[in-house]
Amino acid sequence: MALELAFHGPPRPRQRAFRVLAGTVAAIAAVIFGGWIGYTVSAHQGRQTLRGESDHRLDLFAAAIESRVRRLEHVPATVQFSSEVLALLRQPDDPRRAATAGASLARLNAHLGSLAIFVLDERGTVLASSQRPARNGAPLLRDDSTPGQELAYRPYFLDALAGRVGRHFALGADGGEPGYFVSHPIRDGARVVGVAAIKISLAPVDDVWEMLGTPALLVDANQVVILSSQPDWRYTTLADLPLEQRVDLRINRMYGDVQLRRFPLPVDYSVDEESQAIEGELDLQPTLPTRGGSGMLVLGRALDGMDWRVLMFADLRPVRAQALRASLMSAVAVAFVELLALYLAQRRRLVRQRLEAQQLLQRANAELEHKVARRTRALTETNARLRREVAERQQAEQTLRAAQNELVHAGKMAVLGQLATGITHELTQPLGAIRTLSGNASEFLRRGDLQAVGGNLGIIARLADQMGGIIHPLKSFGRKSLPQPVATDVAQALANALFLYDQRIRRMGVRLDNRCAAAAAGLPRVWCDPNRLEQVLINLVGNALDAMQTTAEDARRLVLDAQLVHDLGEAEPRLLLSVSDSGPGFDEATRAHLFEPFYTTKPAGAGLGLGLAISRDIVREFGGEITAVVAEGGGARFELRLPLAPEGAALAAPALPPALSPAAGLIGGGGLIGAGPPVPAALQSHHEP
Ligand code: ADP
């Protein structure tokens, strides 16, 4: 997995740096390559253009040479038809004939504008010439055309003597003017008897250099530069001449006494329109660069029918400058394209990243939605289950509550059963009194003592009320009821509970210390159902009496107390109601199980072990709590902590009529049960013994 991450994860910084470096190098290489391509293509095109232009100029130049130099080439061929010349050649020693022929040639020469026209005999001696001997005896211009000149060494003479047309450049003999010599054999019948020659001036050529616009030169078959726009180049050789050729040139004196130098540039003699590029440093004329060397394009052209070639030197500088510009532009274009590509790639990457992020988000969203849906489903199911459970619990609670109510009722009935005997006894005495009083009343009626009758009837009525008062609470006690919290007077509830045990307390000789009765006026109301509270108290007092069965009679003590407490951790103060006895109490192990249902130490049939469990539930139901502790002196002490009734809550209707309330001294204090009926004084006074 780690390996896979290493391969597929994002590139590490070093890898990334390497990629960036490689990319940069490639980009620079591409820019350089682009520049090179631009340079090469532009230079090639520039050369082609230059070549084309130069070619055209060369054509014009060749045409100019043709018209200015070669137009007179055919003249020597016509000389043989001159009768004067033929006559002279037949009688060469006749001076008159020589003069006649010379005059004829001079006329022709003057007419054509050539430098000279002359005739040689077969030994190479000039017999007649357009050059006329000076009449005033001035020395003749020493040249080829000078009559009497021996020219057997001249190639044009030798060619013509051999029957061919001779033509070549040469300096004039004895240092004369350079010119273009053309010769033709003169035949007398089939035999060559002499040679006719013409010397054509090359001066017009100097006028046509400008036509080329660049340095140029004319080179003859000996590779010697005979004419050039650059005076320095004249009489230089394009190649090193072999020795025999040098010797030949010395003999035929084509270049007179001129010392032939080597041409300063390595130029190929046979160069043609295909051109030759050469590098060189020249300081020939202002048009050519001298700084940093200059490239030149050399183009050559052979002149038709001649052994001459014209070479021109085109400046490559503009071409190179143009090529450099093109190269720069290409490089810039490539760089621009690269930047554009980089920008597009970057943009594409951004778009891709954005798309990926979007997809990721969508996926996360979908996943989240899926999870939420799953969770919602689970929650809905849990909710439904909880609802079911709540319903089941509510059902169970209802069942439990019903069972509890039944149990409470059963407990009440059990208490009532226990009390039945006592109540019967309680009612027997007033009944007996009523019987006696009614008997007395009828006697008083018979005697006509109506006042006494009225008094007895009044007592009977009060006794009937008292009996109703005894029965009434039992009725309400035995009634089934549902818990309903109201503001409850604790002292009243306690008095009701004690009322039920009053007879038993007396029988057992228990000393009752009910501190609540004394403090009743100052005690705050608690918030609970008075019937249920009575039930709890009945249970606690009953248990206390049960526990004290084994205690010595004089040590039986039941203390009931109530006080306001503010327990730690509780926001509101509560009423602490305690029931303490002087029974055997319980050990710690028993205490731990006291409130468990069906926990009892009582013999079978005497207890179910539900009393305390139900009591705790009842107390909790009203937000209170019940605890068991060991009382001072070793007995048991049960403590009830009950919430106070909210202020202004109506007081619950008292369960016992006021006449029977403990405050009236009929219960507990006065001792109604077991102590005999409190016979009113009136009754006693009217009682028949
Ligand atoms: P029951 O009275 O039917 O046994 P209770 O739940 O009222 O059921 O009481 C459970 C047990 O708690 C009793 O069996 C008894 O052992 C113990 N007990 C209750 N009150 C006292 C007390 N005042 N002194 C000693 N033990 C007590």
Side-chain angles (χ1 to χ4, degrees):
M1 188 63 191
L3 197 68
E4 213 174 84
L5 271 181
F7 278 114
H8 299 296
R12 283 172 296 177
R14 268 186 68 183
Q15 266 180 341
R16 205 179 134 71
F18 178 74
R19 273 165 60 176
V20 167
L21 187 74
T24 310
V25 168
I28 291 173
V31 168
I32 291 172
F33 183 68
W36 179 75
I37 288 280
Y39 184 88
T40 310
V41 169
S42 172
H44 179 72
Q45 281 177 349
R47 280 184 193 187
Q48 288 296 101
T49 311
L50 195 63
R51 234 175 256 153
E53 283 174 8
S54 303
D55 228 24
H56 178 61
R57 286 180 187 173
L58 279 176
D59 285 343
L60 292 177
F61 184 80
I65 296 285
E66 192 89 14
S67 63
R68 288 170 194 233
V69 177
R70 299 193 63 198
R71 67 187 170 89
L72 299 177
E73 267 188 5
H74 61 279
V75 173
T78 60
V79 170
Q80 62 182 324
F81 303 112
S82 161
S83 52
E84 289 95 340
V85 171
L86 275 179
L88 176 64
L89 285 174
R90 281 175 193 148
Q91 287 180 334
D93 299 328
D94 186 348
R96 266 190 312 114
R97 289 181 187 261
T100 317
S104 161
L105 291 176
R107 274 197 308 278
L108 187 63
N109 186 48
H111 175 71
L112 295 175
S114 51
L115 282 179
I117 301 172
F118 50 98
V119 174
L120 301 98
D121 66 9
E122 52 195 341
R123 288 191 303 278
T125 307
V126 177
L127 291 183
S129 168
S130 58
Q131 191 183 136
R132 310 284 303 277
R135 293 209 179 111
N136 53 8
L140 278 172
L141 184 68
R142 301 297 295 172
D143 198 4
D144 284 51
S145 55
T146 309
Q149 191 74 267
E150 299 285 343
L151 298 173
Y153 59 89
R154 286 293 205 187
Y156 63 83
F157 168 74
L158 296 171
D159 282 344
L161 199 63
R164 298 187 297 270
V165 174
R167 47 167 88 89
H168 63 81
F169 166 88
L171 278 172
D174 300 329
E177 189 186 349
Y180 179 51
F181 292 89
V182 182
S183 62
H184 198 278
I186 301 172
R187 298 172 202 273
D188 191 3
R191 200 170 69 89
V192 174
V193 291
V195 169
I198 185 170
K199 182 180 178 184
I200 304 164
S201 171
L202 292 176
V205 176
D206 285 332
D207 300 335
V208 289
W209 290 126
E210 277 177 21
M211 188 186 284
L212 293 175
T214 59
L217 55 83
L218 269 175
V219 62
D220 68 6
N222 295 317
Q223 300 201 39
V224 175
V225 177
I226 49 172
L227 283 173
S228 171
S229 61
Q230 310 298 122
D232 278 2
W233 287 355
R234 224 162 169 189
Y235 305 122
T236 55
T237 57
L238 297 188
D240 287 327
L241 303 181
L243 187 63
E244 307 117 63
Q245 198 177 353
R246 284 169 181 277
V247 171
D248 276 354
L249 292 179
R250 274 258 160 249
I251 292 168
N252 60 35
R253 298 183 58 76
M254 278 176 86
Y255 309 103
D257 295 325
V258 174
Q259 197 63 41
L260 295 175
R261 286 171 290 114
R262 184 73 167 81
F263 188 74
L265 297 170
V267 176
D268 180 6
Y269 165 72
S270 57
V271 69
D272 56 11
E273 305 86 42
E274 279 307 302
S275 77
Q276 177 198 1
I278 56 166
E279 295 290 336
E281 270 188 60
L282 291 175
D283 188 10
L284 303 171
Q285 67 170 45
T287 52
L288 277 182
T290 56
R291 242 179 321 112
S294 80
M296 277 175 290
L297 197 66
V298 186
L299 290 103
R301 169 71 59 90
L303 297 179
D304 279 346
M306 298 173 85
D307 293 336
W308 293 0
R309 293 178 68 79
V310 56
L311 302 187
M312 64 178 284
F313 297 78
D315 189 1
L316 272 178
R317 211 171 32 158
V319 171
R320 288 191 178 172
Q322 174 60 30
L324 271 178
R325 277 196 296 277
S327 153
L328 200 70
M329 275 170 62
S330 304
V332 167
V334 170
F336 176 75
V337 167
E338 280 177 357
L339 285 177
L340 193 74
L342 192 72
Y343 169 74
L344 288 178
Q346 204 73 344
R347 235 184 76 147
R348 224 177 49 198
R349 212 178 65 190
L350 274 180
V351 168
R352 204 181 54 224
Q353 278 178 352
R354 209 174 301 154
L355 260 175
E356 277 174 6
Q358 222 169 337
Q359 281 174 355
L360 221 69
L361 201 71
Q362 277 175 354
R363 222 176 302 147
N365 238 356
E367 220 164 277
L368 197 70
E369 273 173 19
H370 183 66
K371 270 187 189 167
V372 166
R374 221 169 43 205
R375 196 90 189 94
T376 308
R377 218 167 33 241
L379 278 174
T380 312
E381 281 168 13
T382 311
N383 207 5
R385 208 177 57 236
L386 279 175
R387 271 175 209 280
R388 265 199 316 276
E389 277 178 19
V390 166
E392 278 168 16
R393 270 166 203 260
Q394 277 173 345
Q395 181 66 38
E397 209 175 291
Q398 271 174 14
T399 312
L400 186 71
R401 225 169 271 267
Q404 228 174 50
N405 287 338
E406 285 302 323
L407 275 171
V408 169
H409 187 65
K412 283 180 184 174
M413 291 325 234
V415 173
L416 278 181
Q418 283 176 11
L419 294 175
T421 328
I423 289 165
T424 313
H425 177 70
E426 290 293 324
L427 294 178
T428 310
Q429 284 182 355
L431 271 175
I434 287 171
R435 176 74 194 85
T436 310
L437 286 169
S438 61
N440 290 350
S442 55
E443 186 53 36
F444 287 140
L445 192 66
R446 198 172 48 80
R447 288 180 195 170
D449 188 352
L450 288 175
Q451 196 185 352
V453 171
N456 274 16
L457 284 176
I459 293 169
I460 287 170
R462 277 212 309 280
L463 283 172
D465 282 346
Q466 279 179 11
M467 286 166 71
I470 290 169
I471 295 164
H472 179 79
L474 294 179
K475 249 167 62 190
S476 76
F477 178 70
R479 205 167 42 221
K480 281 187 185 175
S481 68
L482 289 173
Q484 185 64 44
V486 287
T488 305
D489 183 357
V490 174
Q492 180 67 64
L494 199 53
N496 290 355
L498 286 174
F499 167 76
L500 294 172
Y501 288 113
D502 188 72
Q503 205 187 13
R504 193 173 166 201
I505 289 170
R506 286 173 187 286
R507 200 171 54 236
M508 283 177 67
V510 175
R511 269 195 295 141
L512 178 65
D513 182 3
N514 185 2
R515 298 172 188 170
C516 295
L523 283 181
R525 315 286 180 206
V526 294
W527 191 247
C528 67
D529 182 283
N531 276 330
R532 292 292 155 102
L533 180 60
E534 268 172 41
Q535 176 58 34
V536 172
L537 293 172
I538 288 166
N539 192 47
L540 294 180
V541 173
N543 275 350
L545 295 177
D546 287 348
M548 287 190 291
Q549 292 279 18
T550 53
T551 314
E553 196 169 333
D554 57 340
R556 289 172 185 165
R557 195 153 183 265
L558 183 62
V559 182
L560 306 163
D561 198 3
Q563 62 192 57
L564 208 60
V565 289
H566 203 146
D567 290 319
L568 254 170
E570 287 294 328
E572 301 289 330
R574 295 188 290 184
L575 191 75
L576 172 65
L577 184 62
S578 61
V579 179
S580 318
D581 63 57
S582 55
F586 33 72
D587 55 19
E588 207 42 47
T590 309
R591 198 171 77 101
H593 300 291
L594 285 181
F595 295 99
E596 284 176 10
F598 303 110
Y599 176 80
T600 180
T601 56
K602 293 174 187 170
L608 275 175
L610 285 173
L612 286 178
I614 291 172
S615 295
R616 190 182 57 181
D617 283 356
I618 290 171
V619 173
R620 278 188 182 166
E621 203 170 332
F622 299 122
E625 59 181 311
I626 180 170
T627 49
V629 293
V630 177
E632 289 170 34
R637 173 182 161 96
F638 286 85
E639 293 182 344
L640 288 175
R641 282 177 171 76
L642 299 168
L644 300 185
E647 272 183 39
L651 180 64
L656 290 176
L660 292 175
S661 69
L666 288 175
I667 300 175
L672 174 70
I673 301 170
V679 180
L683 183 68
Q684 281 170 5
S685 64
H686 299 291
H687 197 271
E688 287 283 299

